[in-house]
Amino acid sequence: PNLPGVVVTLTWAGTNGTFGDADDYTVTATGTNPANPLDPNYLFGDLPGGNYKLDVTNAAGVPANMVLTDSVN
């Protein structure tokens, strides 16, 4: 679900698989729809294979009953 004000940034390490160089690609999404918490504002589709990094900022917008976790799916 989307979390109003919480910013999710997805970074792909590029074709060489190394973060921090010129071929990295970053996409950012911000939760903006409190009226519809199931609005998929954080859906990152059609991703190429490779290494990814996900960063969450403004985590103060995460409700107290939710916990951010790391997982590989």
Side-chain angles (χ1 to χ4, degrees), residues 32-49:
T32 57
N33 189 357
N36 183 3
L38 298 179
D39 190 7
N41 283 354
Y42 302 124
L43 177 63
F44 300 101
D46 297 323
L47 301 172

Side-chain angles (χ1 to χ4, degrees), residues 30-70:
T30 302
T32 57
N33 189 357
N36 183 3
L38 298 179
D39 190 7
N41 283 354
Y42 302 124
L43 177 63
F44 300 101
D46 297 323
L47 301 172
N51 296 325
Y52 287 87
K53 179 173 64 171
L54 187 75
D55 294 308
V56 178
T57 55
N58 193 24
V62 176
N65 65 338
M66 297 182 91
V67 177
L68 298 176
T69 62
D70 293 343

Side-chain angles (χ1 to χ4, degrees), residues 18-29:
T18 303
F19 289 106
D21 57 16
D23 76 338
D24 291 4
Y25 183 76
T26 300
V27 179
T28 301

